[in-house]
Amino acid sequence: MQPVFSIVRQDQFIKATRDSGYKGTASALSELIDNSIQAGASEVHIRLVAVENEITGPGKPRMPRVVEVAIADNGRGMDKEKLRRALRFGDSDRFNDRSGLGRFGMGLPNASVSQCKHFEVFSRQKGQQVLWTYVDVDEVAEGKMDEIPEPVGAAIPAPYQDLVDQTKGTLVVWRECDRLDHDGKLDTLERSLRPVLGRIFRHFLVAEKKITINGVPVEPFDPLYLMPEARLQNDLLATQHGDTLKFEVPILSQPSQKSTVEVVFSLLPEHWQIAYNKDKDEKKRRHIDESTGFSIVRARREIDLIKSPYHAKHWTHSWYRVEIRFEPELDEVFNVTHTKQHASMRPGTMIYERLREAITANIATMIDMIRARGKKAHEVRAKQAEEAAQKVSPRLRPIEELATKPQEQVNQEVQKFVEQHAASATAAGKADLEDRFSKYTVLIEYENLPGAPFYRIRSIGRSVVVLLNTHHRFYERCYRRIETESPLGKTGIDLLLMALGRSEALATDEARSWYDDQRQEWSQHIKAFLDTVDEPDPDEVDVSNTVLAS
């Protein structure tokens, strides 16, 4: 038997193609939706067909699992030649076309075999009969199919007749689905597909395109929260940060011509940051955690959602967004893959540096604004601790030194502290601080003192003030995050510090000196300890999966 040296070993190629890099079912479906939109479709209908399968064996609960997926549109449809070519890997009458979503001719067959072992396509042009052909992975691997069968006239299968337009369009049916996300569990799969497809095609969905899953429309979801049409009913909108940045970039294949890259920034509502920071249900309803990052949009279609390429994972990232938009003519600049799921730029190139400089500057400003909001949330949490301490104050030993101060001295000390400590605050902020001195015997306040201990104690008026140093390593790396991850834990830490502060105020002069010395030692030790802790965790930032690194 003569050895065969064909370019492609057919039996292995088809199996390897099934693992060609699609992130999952939503990404594969997106390829087919791309084709529908490029074919002029205004509607795309997806149907997940499930049967009740036993989960682990006889007698166990039965769960609906998807065995077939149908995708129908009302686009132009295809004639015999186009239909046959559409099922070939790498064949397309639009190969390298930069005018739409597709480009390589890999989408339909590649996406389909990534999810199923057998797929069929029915297509009809206006005034013509329905044509049908198919691809079967096992037949290809066994050498029984070495070319796409010639399309023949056929009827739309009865279960899907209500999905298709009666005059034109295309129907793709995935059969023998063995690689669907969530093991094909119907409810879980459908629930996961909706927000992802709504996000990927948001710009089309708000422009009167329609996508349905099992008869229910997919709602647009804007991760920047700027689109009024893509939010929960009557929900707040984010605020666009600054103007849309625009960069003119040379087209590599046509150096004399340029194309525009746009960058949009948004700040999520302050109310969400303060009220929903630990409210998992409200954050989940708005998809806040899963939409965090940079949205990469090519030809109005999102191709990737990535983590920040500039910063380690941090609580502030949940509350701002970035969208980078470009057209297919810049695919080489952004190294777009044929599956349209990833983009990257080579560090050191001119456009890379221009984007990096502009984006990091804007992000730095947004992070400062988010931190300022967080400080407001801190003040709210501090009041919770102050109120808790005040409830038990009558039962504690009084601090005679403070209780016996003349009222005039109390007023002077409070006024001086407010003017110095809250010099940049509004009149309302100063009034609020004065009000807290009149209500609480122990307060939490903040100061920025490089090189100083994590906290220090001062007696102001008839109150003990615990001043936390926001410049200390323990504050940013530990204390600040406790508030984000556990508001109750943060209140507990505040109460611990307030208890230490009150005890120190009750102590003798000699004991207070000891407290000062120990606080200095403790603060230096914790700073040194924290310096040995690596940050970020390598698992938290994947630089290889960012648009500005390759």
Side-chain angles (χ1 to χ4, degrees), residues 464-510:
V464 175
V465 182
V466 181
L467 289 163
L468 304 187
N469 183 6
T470 60
H471 196 275
H472 194 275
R473 191 71 50 83
F474 183 77
Y475 178 89
E476 181 59 34
R477 296 191 67 176
C478 299
Y479 179 89
R480 183 64 187 83
R481 297 182 184 182
I482 292 172
E483 193 275 334
T484 301
E485 298 172 6
S486 174
L488 178 61
K490 193 263 186 186
T491 299
I493 295 294
D494 284 346
L495 290 171
L496 172 64
L497 294 169
M498 293 163 75
L500 287 170
R502 198 178 190 284
S503 298
E504 185 170 336
L506 283 166
T508 63
D509 289 343
E510 183 179 356

Side-chain angles (χ1 to χ4, degrees), residues 212-455:
T212 68
I213 301 177
N214 286 355
V216 180
V218 171
E219 299 296 336
F221 167 53
D222 176 19
L224 275 71
Y225 303 90
L226 293 174
M227 296 179 176
E229 311 93 332
R231 60 173 169 169
L232 297 176
Q233 187 173 8
N234 300 322
D235 207 0
L236 298 173
L237 286 172
T239 302
Q240 180 167 338
H241 175 73
D243 296 328
T244 300
L245 304 184
K246 297 185 178 182
F247 302 86
E248 296 300 314
V249 180
I251 301 172
L252 294 184
S253 59
Q254 305 172 62
S256 62
Q257 298 185 32
K258 294 183 178 181
S259 185
T260 304
V261 175
E262 296 184 343
V263 184
V264 181
F265 305 92
S266 72
L267 271 172
L268 273 57
E270 181 176 357
H271 172 71
W272 293 1
Q273 179 181 335
I274 294 174
Y276 302 153
N277 191 43
K278 291 305 294 179
D279 191 329
K280 293 182 180 179
D281 290 337
E282 290 295 339
K283 291 179 77 175
K284 188 174 182 179
R285 277 208 316 142
R286 292 168 177 81
H287 309 290
I288 290 175
D289 289 337
E290 55 263 44
S291 65
T292 297
F294 288 35
S295 175
I296 314 302
V297 176
R298 171 189 182 267
R300 300 170 60 212
R301 189 267 221 198
E302 184 182 278
I303 62 172
D304 208 354
L305 181 67
I306 66 173
K307 299 175 184 177
S308 169
Y310 308 114
H311 309 88
K313 183 179 179 182
H314 194 264
W315 68 270
T316 56
H317 297 176
S318 294
W319 306 110
Y320 73 82
R321 298 289 189 272
V322 182
E323 181 173 298
I324 300 176
R325 308 168 183 162
F326 64 95
E327 294 300 318
E329 56 204 12
L330 293 179
D331 281 352
E332 286 82 2
V333 173
F334 284 90
N335 296 305
V336 175
T337 61
H338 74 274
T339 58
K340 300 192 292 291
Q341 297 179 104
H342 178 68
S344 64
M345 295 185 70
R346 294 183 180 87
T349 61
M350 184 179 297
I351 182 59
Y352 174 93
E353 295 301 330
R354 289 174 63 196
L355 284 174
R356 181 189 61 78
E357 181 178 357
I359 291 175
T360 53
N362 277 273
I363 288 178
T365 302
M366 289 191 291
I367 287 178
D368 286 343
M369 297 171 71
I370 292 166
R371 288 179 187 272
R373 294 174 174 180
K375 185 176 181 181
K376 291 182 184 179
H378 265 313
E379 292 168 355
V380 173
R381 302 281 186 247
K383 285 185 180 180
Q384 292 178 350
E386 291 164 359
E387 289 172 356
Q390 190 63 29
K391 289 179 182 179
V392 300
S393 181
R395 304 202 303 267
L396 301 178
R397 181 158 62 99
I399 305 174
E400 295 295 337
E401 178 185 336
L402 304 185
T404 58
K405 276 185 185 179
Q407 188 60 46
E408 183 178 356
Q409 181 183 349
V410 169
N411 294 341
Q412 290 176 350
E413 288 181 2
V414 169
Q415 188 62 35
K416 183 179 179 180
F417 181 86
V418 170
E419 291 300 327
Q420 292 179 346
H421 189 73
S424 61
T426 62
K430 292 178 180 179
D432 179 70
L433 182 54
E434 289 178 358
D435 183 60
R436 287 166 58 207
F437 272 109
S438 69
K439 289 181 178 179
Y440 308 126
T441 56
V442 189
L443 279 69
I444 292 280
E445 273 299 315
Y446 306 92
E447 61 184 356
N448 190 314
L449 293 178
F454 169 57
Y455 74 95

